[in-house]
Amino acid sequence: MKQILGLLMLMFSAVALGQTGTIEGTLSDKETNNEPLPFANVIIKGTTKGATTDFDGKYIIENVPVGTYEVEFSFVGYEPVTVPNVVVQAGKFTNVSTALGASAAALDEVVIQVQTSRERESALLLEQKKAVEIKESIGAVQLAKQGVTDAATATTKISGVTASQASGDIYVRGLGDRYLYTTMNGLPIPSDDVEKKNFDLGLFTTRVIQNVGISKTYGVSNSADQASGTIDVATKELSGTKELGVGIRVGANTNATQSGVSDNFKLTGNKGDYTLGFLKNQGFNETTQASSPGYSAYPRMTQQTWNTSTANFPMNYRYAITAGKKFGEKFKVLFTASQSGDFTYRNGVFRQYRENNIDDSITDATYYNRRVTTTGLLNTEYKINDKNDVRWVSLFVNSLSDQVFEGGRNGEATIFEEESRDDVFQFIRDQNTKQTRLWVNQFFGNHELSEKNTLDWGVGINLLSADEPNRVRNEVNITPDADFVQLGVTGGFQQRKSFQLIDDEELAGFIKDTYVLNEDFDTGSKSEISGGLNVRMKSRNFKSQFLGATESNAGADFGSVSIDNLDVIFTDENFRSGDLNFQFLPTDRYIADLESQSAFAAYTLQKEKFNLNVGMRFQRDAIDVLFDVNNFPGRRGATNKEYTNLYPSVNFKYNLTEDQGVRFAGSRTITLPEFKEIAPFEYVSPVGQVTKGNPDLEASINYNFDLKYEWFPSSDELLSVAAFYKMINDPINKVQQRGSAGIFSYFNAGDQANIFGLELEGRVNIVKPVEDSGNIGVRLSGNVTRMFHEQDLKEIYDENGTLLRTFKYNGKSDEGLQGASDWIVNGTLGFSTAAENPWELNVVGNYASSKIFALGAPRNQQEPDVFFNESIVEQGFVVLDAVLSKQVTDGFAVKLTGRNLLDPTIEQTQIQRPTNGDPVFNATVQSYTLGRTFLLGLTYDF
């Protein structure tokens, strides 16, 4: 702790740091009808910084301290041109473009334009071209063109990235949530979901995003807790001197507005507990007593409804405002806020099999969901002097989800644990309101200690709460005509109310010093060393409790009961009379802490033809979980994990030409088990599937290798091909647990997993729009990934050679990797008119082939080839979106967006091999559609 406090004091004592910007542009030749002029010199007068134009006449000068400069252009035999008053702003690209000829250029021929550095595609491609590591980004400009509204969807536009509709996880190169590391502006942020390692990127609206980047290779200044890469969300900054804009969007989902749904869109009975997307204060009574305090101690059992409510008008909306201003030359501020409301509805099939026999069958599994997301971002920057400035970013996100699940209303559902009669079926309803509230505060600085020495630091303080204050679940027996309603009788908690609360606190920080050993402007060679420290301290307080009611007298007369009016059953009178028995479980709790401390050092060598970066990171990670849960023998326990390792990395880039290069990267990393993966708490999904942690789970060690060729034909075009290989020791998998139906847990199911993949990416202008020509520009961007993956399935023996557990089944000794698709394809075809106020049309398609949702497992250790469950597979599907936009005036724009236009069926399947000799078949275990969404958006920038 003393070391951590010392580090934080050092960070804050490093009086702000000076930030830098970039000067870039294009130089043309007036003597050849303004063709590009290569090999000309570009010098920032009064400094040692400069560049040489490439074959396209382009140049870039990076890491220029904030200030005002004169830029000189010269070429042998041509009249030099000096451009005065070139202003460099922190983190911005200043574009200075001009022409040289036999006579001097007039200053009105010079174009100077300051643009947001990391929102436009060409700037991000330039950053990718110059970087040593393998990194891909997508900026706010591209996201707007593709109709992307959140960071989660943004990631799927990058090569090798896909999302699971079933779990919501993001997969990079086939590796999911646990193998990723998510940051905001380079600092970690906590997960909002007990089931996830990473924060739900869907809560980051594009209003607060500057760009989303994925570093697919590891650099030692980042945490080693990753295998597939690091996703970083860079938040929006003020561009220019002022900004003021408003926007509004309305639309609808075709599933939610269809006949029979729009006029009866179900919400939870908690509808009255929230206003404008914010949950009112909730009071909770909880107990750990061995004896029940009685139902009266829990007013929500009888004083809060068990019935659903309805929404009057299930239309999607969003309204937003952005305002920013620069005050003088030192201080600028940007504020953006938005609120959106979305309604989704899906209806489909859910089935659950055990040992190749069906347990549960719901042919009308129906979800109603309303989400209201409120976001606010404040970004301030203060320039102390030319060499020092500081930055403060504050992000607030409040997301409220109101979800109702129903199954069996059609009188066809069967649940294995309930009464089995020809004339009796089951009905399930699960109502849940969840509020996630995140407040992130980040402080950054850059300190130019000397011309060769730069100090960077950052500190983040994160507070998160994720509350489910009143989840209501009912399982009842009904006849097909619903004239008979009987409470479910198995287990004591088929009728229940529960709550779940998560509170996370996190402190993270870094400090990094970079020293330039030597730099030769004439040859372009440079060498530097860097080193620093990282710290992360995260704590979680989790608790959950079940309260239930059972029917004590079978056939008790509760009056006029229907599945839409269960309140008549759960009354004070029925509890007092003894017709209902009150059940409770003591509160489940776990307290978890993660401490991570690390030190790193790196050396970078830059020559005319190559760049080399080698580094080493020392990292200690300690995870401590104390738990007190009902489903663990003796309730109480603890699990402690500590990993101390060295994590090397090497990144090498060789420049074949000015526009072509080859990259190689290699590294060793770790995948830490998450709190939820090792705390043995059972979380029940709306359809009754259970996920629980495994205290015996251990970390995975990963070895990563990448080889990539890139060609940049122009400033906004790219062609690349990459190959990658990953070896994961002790891979972590979500596995169907033996012994019970519908229970999933986490295991090191194999000794080793191997992933090999190929990626092909292209961004090309088929027809480039030319001003005043009347032509239509056509642009194609896309990427294709092919992966080959497998992991062995291991057996665990004790010291006497006795088999303790096997993950082999049905004659299988290996299996594919959970979440990995063999094929991933993303593409965008764009059309734009060459006009002052252009039309733009972008058609965006995504495809991911089938992937394993959960590994299969034997049900019987002695006969694993006879009694087993096969893997559950999420089938591949295509998503097609279209965005049509028109810039009506300088400030006013209109956008029409259509999402999920093909509305494919999303399906999970599981091969069944009946033990009675019937033919093998591929059973659908889950199936639904999401519907099409159409949105009309209007924006006005003052």
Side-chain angles (χ1 to χ4, degrees):
M1 180 60 75
K2 291 182 179 179
Q3 293 174 335
I4 295 169
L5 292 176
L7 172 62
L8 294 177
M9 290 176 65
L10 180 59
M11 290 175 179
F12 281 113
S13 65
V15 203
L17 357 159
Q19 291 187 352
T20 61
T22 299
I23 298 176
E24 64 168 6
T26 302
L27 186 63
S28 55
D29 187 346
K30 292 198 299 181
E31 306 302 318
T32 59
N33 198 27
N34 289 320
E35 290 293 318
L37 180 60
F39 310 119
N41 294 320
V42 186
I43 301 294
I44 301 178
K45 299 184 71 172
T47 75
T48 60
K49 292 185 176 294
T52 301
T53 58
D54 62 16
F55 284 106
D56 295 319
K58 299 184 182 301
Y59 72 92
I60 182 169
I61 307 173
E62 300 177 296
N63 300 318
V64 181
V66 171
T68 303
Y69 299 94
E70 292 184 343
V71 179
E72 182 182 79
F73 299 85
S74 63
F75 187 70
V76 176
Y78 282 45
E79 189 77 20
V81 169
T82 299
V83 181
N85 302 318
V86 176
V87 178
V88 176
Q89 300 181 21
K92 301 293 186 292
F93 277 55
T94 301
N95 188 294
V96 183
S97 297
T98 187
L100 293 184
S103 59
L107 287 182
D108 59 6
E109 299 177 26
V110 179
V111 178
I112 302 178
Q113 186 177 16
V114 178
Q115 299 185 9
T116 303
S117 62
R118 299 173 67 208
E119 289 189 8
R120 57 197 176 95
E121 184 174 11
S122 58
L124 293 171
L125 280 177
L126 187 60
E127 182 180 276
Q128 178 177 330
K129 179 180 178 181
K130 295 292 184 181
V132 180
E133 72 277 9
I134 297 176
K135 179 181 180 180
E136 297 174 41
S137 301
I138 184 166
V141 174
Q142 285 173 275
L143 298 179
K145 290 181 179 180
Q146 297 181 16
V148 174
T149 58
D150 60 79
T153 308
T155 62
T156 64
K157 309 305 178 186
I158 296 174
S159 61
V161 183
T162 185
S164 168
Q165 287 293 338
S167 66
D169 288 352
I170 301 297
Y171 289 87
V172 178
R173 291 176 166 176
L175 299 176
D177 182 64
R178 71 177 64 87
Y179 293 103
L180 277 172
Y181 194 71
T182 302
T183 59
M184 185 181 98
N185 299 320
L187 287 171
I189 49 177
S191 170
D192 64 303
D193 190 337
V194 66
E195 287 288 297
K196 310 285 184 184
K197 169 185 176 181
N198 295 290
F199 186 77
D200 180 3
L201 294 175
L203 299 181
F204 278 103
T205 65
T206 48
R207 298 292 300 186
V208 303
I209 296 174
Q210 185 179 76
N211 69 76
V212 179
I214 297 183
S215 297
K216 295 181 179 178
T217 58
Y218 167 65
V220 295
S221 60
N222 295 321
S223 173
D225 182 17
Q226 53 135 308
S228 58
T230 297
I231 297 179
D232 182 58
V233 178
T235 54
K236 189 175 178 66
E237 301 175 3
L238 176 65
S239 175
T241 59
K242 63 180 180 179
E243 184 173 348
L244 177 61
V246 294
I248 185 171
R249 186 184 70 200
V250 294
N253 177 273
T254 56
N255 278 4
T257 55
Q258 66 181 290
S259 176
V261 177
S262 62
D263 56 351
N264 189 32
F265 192 96
K266 296 186 184 300
L267 299 177
T268 69
N270 304 323
K271 177 182 176 181
D273 294 335
Y274 55 84
T275 304
L276 297 176
F278 287 83
L279 200 62
K280 299 174 184 177
N281 290 330
Q282 300 286 307
F284 303 99
N285 293 327
E286 53 182 291
T287 181
T288 56
Q289 297 171 224
S291 59
S292 172
Y295 82 93
S296 58
Y298 302 92
R300 54 200 160 119
M301 291 297 292
T302 56
Q303 296 177 27
Q304 285 183 314
T305 184
W306 292 72
N307 297 336
T308 59
S309 58
T310 58
N312 297 323
F313 196 54
M315 298 291 290
N316 298 345
Y317 70 88
R318 188 189 73 182
Y319 49 86
I321 183 171
T322 300
K325 184 173 176 59
K326 183 177 182 180
F327 298 89
E329 294 299 319
K330 292 192 173 185
F331 181 68
K332 58 182 178 179
V333 60
L334 175 76
F335 172 76
T336 180
S338 66
Q339 185 176 81
S340 63
D342 298 283
F343 292 85
T344 57
Y345 168 88
R346 73 185 206 221
N347 178 273
V349 171
F350 172 80
R351 297 186 183 96
Q352 189 162 269
Y353 288 82
R354 175 170 50 173
E355 295 180 14
N356 298 287
N357 296 302
I358 193 165
D359 269 345
D360 301 340
S361 176
I362 302 174
T363 57
D364 64 341
T366 305
Y367 290 83
Y368 302 82
N369 190 77
R370 179 195 186 198
R371 172 177 278 194
V372 180
T373 302
T374 307
T375 305
L377 173 74
L378 179 66
N379 189 319
T380 64
E381 298 178 55
Y382 182 70
K383 176 183 174 183
I384 299 173
N385 52 44
D386 288 343
K387 296 183 178 181
N388 302 279
D389 68 32
V390 290
R391 179 184 174 208
W392 170 42
V393 178
S394 184
L395 173 70
F396 175 80
V397 178
N398 188 92
S399 177
L400 187 134
S401 172
D402 186 300
Q403 179 176 279
V404 176
F405 166 79
E406 287 189 350
R409 183 177 284 273
N410 63 2
E412 298 177 0
T414 56
I415 306 299
F416 83 97
E417 61 190 6
E418 280 304 327
E419 186 171 343
S420 179
R421 283 176 20 201
D422 291 340
D423 63 335
V424 174
F425 296 85
Q426 281 74 51
F427 172 78
I428 297 176
R429 178 188 290 129
D430 191 290
Q431 308 175 58
N432 193 19
T433 303
K434 178 181 178 181
Q435 176 175 270
T436 300
R437 183 171 294 177
L438 172 68
W439 189 25
V440 176
N441 284 281
Q442 297 180 332
F443 306 88
F444 300 97
N446 174 273
H447 206 57
E448 189 178 337
L449 303 177
S450 68
E451 194 170 295
K452 292 187 174 183
N453 193 7
T454 302
L455 182 72
D456 294 280
W457 56 263
V459 176
I461 302 171
N462 306 320
L463 301 175
L464 179 138
S465 62
D467 300 339
E468 299 177 14
N470 186 33
R471 183 175 178 182
V472 183
R473 185 176 181 86
N474 298 103
E475 297 182 21
V476 299
N477 298 311
I478 63 171
T479 52
D481 56 9
D483 63 352
F484 166 80
V485 177
Q486 176 195 55
L487 299 184
V489 296
T490 305
F493 290 94
Q494 266 59 31
Q495 325 306 320
R496 65 173 180 261
K497 293 195 172 186
S498 62
F499 74 84
Q500 177 180 290
L501 308 177
I502 301 175
D503 288 299
D504 278 9
E505 297 178 356
E506 183 172 9
L507 175 65
F510 73 86
I511 186 167
K512 178 182 179 181
D513 188 80
T514 303
Y515 186 83
V516 178
L517 298 173
N518 61 69
E519 184 173 13
D520 189 327
F521 175 75
D522 293 329
T523 64
S525 64
K526 181 181 179 181
S527 64
E528 66 181 30
I529 56 173
S530 61
L533 303 171
N534 294 85
V535 65
R536 185 185 185 193
M537 296 183 296
K538 175 182 175 180
S539 64
R540 170 174 293 173
N541 190 342
F542 171 92
K543 55 186 176 182
S544 174
Q545 186 176 33
F546 279 18
L547 310 174
T550 59
E551 188 176 348
S552 55
N553 301 312
D557 184 9
F558 293 122
S560 179
V561 179
S562 76
I563 57 177
D564 291 315
N565 185 22
L566 296 178
D567 278 347
V568 298
I569 299 177
F570 303 101
T571 64
D572 285 304
E573 179 181 353
N574 287 332
F575 276 109
R576 286 196 302 267
S577 68
D579 287 338
L580 290 179
N581 289 328
F582 174 68
Q583 306 276 339
F584 86 104
L585 289 174
T587 304
D588 283 329
R589 304 170 182 270
Y590 72 79
I591 298 173
D593 294 287
L594 166 67
E595 286 193 7
S596 181
Q597 299 103 17
S598 53
F600 63 89
Y603 171 74
T604 302
L605 175 63
Q606 176 182 318
K607 292 291 186 179
E608 181 181 0
K609 298 292 289 185
F610 72 86
N611 288 31
L612 173 68
N613 175 272
V614 293
M616 182 70 73
R617 182 182 184 92
F618 169 84
Q619 183 167 315
R620 173 189 174 272
D621 299 292
I623 305 172
D624 298 297
V625 179
L626 298 175
F627 53 83
D628 181 0
V629 295
N630 291 292
N631 58 285
F632 187 81
R635 287 193 54 93
R636 296 185 178 183
T639 183
N640 309 100
K641 313 285 183 181
E642 183 169 332
Y643 306 96
T644 302
N645 290 292
L646 292 173
Y647 302 100
S649 77
V650 58
N651 288 274
F652 178 76
K653 174 190 173 187
Y654 184 78
N655 301 313
L656 300 171
T657 67
E658 282 287 324
D659 299 318
Q660 299 179 60
V662 177
R663 304 174 187 270
F664 170 79
S667 63
R668 178 179 189 261
T669 58
I670 190 172
T671 300
L672 297 172
E674 274 298 295
F675 293 154
K676 54 97 177 180
E677 293 180 335
I678 58 178
F681 169 75
E682 292 187 346
Y683 184 82
V684 184
S685 75
V687 293
Q689 288 183 331
V690 178
T691 305
K692 62 182 293 187
N694 173 16
D696 297 324
L697 192 68
E698 294 294 342
S700 303
I701 296 295
N702 320 301
Y703 297 89
N704 316 287
F705 301 95
D706 292 79
L707 182 64
K708 186 175 187 179
Y709 164 79
E710 293 177 326
W711 176 32
F712 297 85
S714 67
S715 63
D716 62 347
E717 293 183 301
L718 165 68
L719 294 171
S720 70
V721 60
F724 61 89
Y725 170 73
K726 296 181 182 294
M727 181 176 71
I728 303 175
N729 293 332
D730 296 317
I732 300 172
N733 289 277
K734 186 176 185 178
V735 181
Q736 300 169 76
Q737 199 169 23
R738 71 177 191 269
S740 298
I743 295 183
F744 299 83
S745 192
Y746 304 93
F747 297 94
N748 302 105
D751 289 315
Q752 188 179 101
N754 295 280
I755 306 169
F756 172 72
L758 297 171
E759 290 178 344
L760 177 66
E761 181 176 11
R763 307 184 194 183
V764 295
N765 296 309
I766 300 174
V767 179
K768 197 156 188 175
V770 178
E771 286 189 25
D772 302 323
S773 68
N775 74 328
I776 296 178
V778 183
R779 179 173 174 80
L780 177 64
S781 300
N783 52 74
V784 179
T785 302
R786 176 68 167 103
M787 287 188 294
F788 307 85
H789 49 92
E790 69 171 10
Q791 61 180 321
D792 59 352
L793 300 176
K794 67 182 179 182
E795 295 179 329
I796 302 173
Y797 296 87
D798 64 14
E799 61 275 7
N800 299 319
T802 304
L803 179 66
L804 298 178
R805 187 178 193 103
T806 181
F807 294 94
K808 298 179 179 181
Y809 68 97
N810 191 27
K812 293 184 179 182
S813 59
D814 57 65
E815 181 64 284
L817 200 66
Q818 181 208 337
S821 294
D822 292 346
W823 289 94
I824 301 172
V825 182
N826 300 307
T828 300
L829 182 61
F831 304 88
S832 60
T833 59
E836 182 178 354
N837 296 316
W839 285 90
E840 288 195 9
L841 171 65
N842 285 274
V843 181
V844 185
N846 306 94
Y847 169 74
S849 63
S850 301
K851 62 175 74 73
I852 295 176
F853 172 72
L855 290 187
R859 306 289 297 180
N860 184 304
Q861 297 288 93
Q862 284 66 45
E863 297 181 278
D865 296 334
V866 177
F867 301 102
F868 57 86
N869 287 324
E870 277 284 3
S871 297
I872 297 176
V873 176
E874 182 178 321
Q875 298 298 316
F877 57 92
V878 176
V879 175
L880 185 68
D881 302 332
V883 183
L884 177 65
S885 61
K886 168 65 175 174
Q887 190 72 38
V888 181
T889 66
D890 286 343
F892 181 57
V894 181
K895 181 186 295 183
L896 178 64
T897 303
R899 295 190 195 140
N900 197 37
L901 297 178
L902 301 179
D903 196 18
T905 298
I906 298 169
E907 186 177 32
Q908 289 182 5
T909 61
Q910 186 179 34
I911 294 176
Q912 304 298 324
R913 305 177 187 274
T915 56
N916 61 4
D918 287 347
V920 174
F921 66 99
N922 197 18
T924 297
V925 296
Q926 189 163 214
S927 176
Y928 57 90
T929 62
L930 295 173
R932 301 171 178 87
T933 299
F934 296 96
L935 301 165
L936 175 64
L938 307 174
T939 59
Y940 189 83
D941 295 319
F942 295 90

